[in-house]
Amino acid sequence: MRCANLAARLIIWATTATHRCASTKPAVLSLDAPIRIRGDVSSQFLTALLMALPLVATQQDVHIEVVGELISKPYIHITLQLLERFGIVVQHDNWQRFTIAAGSQYQSPGYLYVVLDSLSVSFVVAAGAIAGGATGQNGIKIRGVGIDSIQGDIRFVEAARAMGAHITGGSNWLEIQRGSWPLQAVDMDCNHIPDAAMTLAVMALYANGTTTLRNIASWRVKEKDRIAAMTTELRKLGASVEEGADFFLVMPPATPADWRAASIHTYDDHRVAMCFSLAAFNPAGLPVRIEDPKCVAKTFPDYFEALFSVVQTAPAHIPVIC
């Protein structure tokens, strides 16, 4: 579940506040007024509150009010569905006011099947769209997540299809093949897949026009200012990039000769490392170095091993080291 560290801190605080203050006086939580939280920065803060507050909703309903437009609603939808599996039913009014009923208690669901992270899968989907076999030939098959996943980031499949990927799937699998080539540039509102949109930014290197990604202001407040980071690293590869407060334009290198070899700085950001690995498929055959590849351990420790298991380097490109 997302933002587990922040949620854990809140849960520990909520359940131990009285013990910490036992030597003076018991801590008192004021729940009479709604808890107000901004929704236009990151949905992770709301997710953490939704996970922690059922522990203190013992005597009265607890209300959360979202200030501003709530971004990344699909992530909150996942949180609400999982909370329901654990016996916590949260009501919401048009994603602006959330109510946790008095007497809410966590209950074990017994068995819970944990599917693959569809956000991490997006990088493999992109690899299939860029380097996978043409339609009718062998592509990349992924098991453990399906086309009907409850995860909001599964909608990356729609974006990849819009760029030309040929994707089929079932309840627990996806298969990706290269479709249109070069890929098609898109102009897309990415509020529903803000993190996965980083993968689209690198796919744009292989598109036939200018790709515009909009409504991605949350990139500015992630592990790094991701808009600035992506701008810097894409330019190293030969792309032209224009950035704004909440949008991002990528114009790919005009010809294979305009691509440049690059050493990609990852900013200790796992998403940057994974999405820029896709630049290794560049038509110029130029080397791409990923600095600090171990930063992927945060979400996908064996990402590069998984990638190497489905791609091969032509023998002529393998250096001989004496």
Side-chain angles (χ1 to χ4, degrees), residues 176-188:
I176 308 95
Q177 297 169 323
R178 180 192 281 190
S180 301
W181 193 259
L183 295 174
Q184 304 300 309
V186 294
D187 187 328
M188 186 171 294

Side-chain angles (χ1 to χ4, degrees), residues 49-319:
L49 284 173
L50 289 169
M51 293 169 62
L53 289 174
L55 295 172
V56 295
T58 54
Q59 304 297 326
Q60 64 186 98
D61 293 351
V62 177
H63 304 283
I64 305 171
E65 285 188 357
V66 176
V67 180
E69 179 68 18
L70 177 61
I71 63 174
S72 306
K73 292 183 182 72
Y75 292 151
I76 300 301
H77 181 61
I78 295 172
T79 300
L80 297 182
Q81 286 188 305
L82 287 177
L83 283 171
E84 190 170 349
R85 291 289 305 275
F86 283 86
I88 307 295
V89 178
V90 180
Q91 304 294 330
H92 73 84
D93 181 11
N94 199 29
W95 304 101
Q96 295 300 119
R97 182 181 175 94
F98 294 80
T99 300
I100 301 168
S104 294
Q105 284 190 316
Y106 277 104
Q107 300 173 2
S108 171
Y111 291 94
L112 185 67
Y113 179 66
V114 180
V115 300
L116 293 180
D117 174 21
S118 61
L119 178 52
S120 296
V121 165
S122 71
F123 307 107
V124 185
V125 170
I130 295 167
T135 302
Q137 300 178 3
N138 291 332
I140 296 177
K141 193 161 189 176
I142 302 169
R143 298 188 184 277
V145 65
I147 208 77
D148 57 353
S149 171
I150 67 169
Q151 299 179 67
D153 284 301
I154 199 63
R155 294 181 64 184
F156 176 83
V157 168
E158 300 171 15
R161 284 172 171 166
M163 295 190 78
H166 181 76
I167 304 172
T168 55
S171 61
N172 200 41
W173 62 274
L174 296 170
E175 186 164 0
I176 308 95
Q177 297 169 323
R178 180 192 281 190
S180 301
W181 193 259
L183 295 174
Q184 304 300 309
V186 294
D187 187 328
M188 186 171 294
D189 185 326
C190 296
N191 181 258
H192 59 299
I193 52 168
D195 290 343
M198 294 176 66
T199 313
L200 296 177
V202 179
M203 290 177 69
L205 292 171
Y206 302 93
N208 65 353
T210 299
T211 292
T212 304
L213 307 179
R214 304 184 187 276
N215 211 352
I216 54 170
S218 62
W219 281 20
R220 297 284 189 190
V221 294
K222 298 293 185 176
E223 285 82 342
K224 170 70 178 177
D225 179 341
R226 284 176 167 170
I227 292 182
M230 296 295 288
T231 296
T232 299
E233 304 310 312
L234 285 167
R235 285 174 176 166
K236 288 181 182 178
L237 293 162
S240 298
V241 184
E242 179 182 342
E243 64 169 284
D246 66 347
F247 70 89
F248 191 71
L249 280 70
V250 182
M251 292 146 280
T255 69
D258 294 309
W259 279 79
R260 296 198 295 265
S263 181
I264 303 299
H265 184 56
T266 53
Y267 307 90
D268 196 27
D269 189 334
H270 52 138
R271 305 292 180 205
V272 172
M274 289 187 277
C275 69
F276 274 100
S277 68
L278 302 171
F281 299 111
N282 67 84
L286 294 172
V288 176
R289 178 188 292 262
I290 304 295
E291 300 172 9
D292 188 25
K294 291 184 179 180
C295 68
V296 300
K298 180 175 181 179
T299 52
F300 199 158
D302 58 348
Y303 169 75
F304 287 103
E305 288 78 5
L307 181 64
F308 298 152
S309 72
V310 295
V311 300
Q312 294 180 337
T313 299
H317 295 159
I318 299 175

Side-chain angles (χ1 to χ4, degrees), residues 36-56:
R36 294 169 58 84
I37 185 168
R38 285 182 60 181
D40 58 351
V41 177
S42 172
S43 64
Q44 295 186 16
F45 302 111
L46 176 56
T47 289
L49 284 173
L50 289 169
M51 293 169 62
L53 289 174
L55 295 172
V56 295

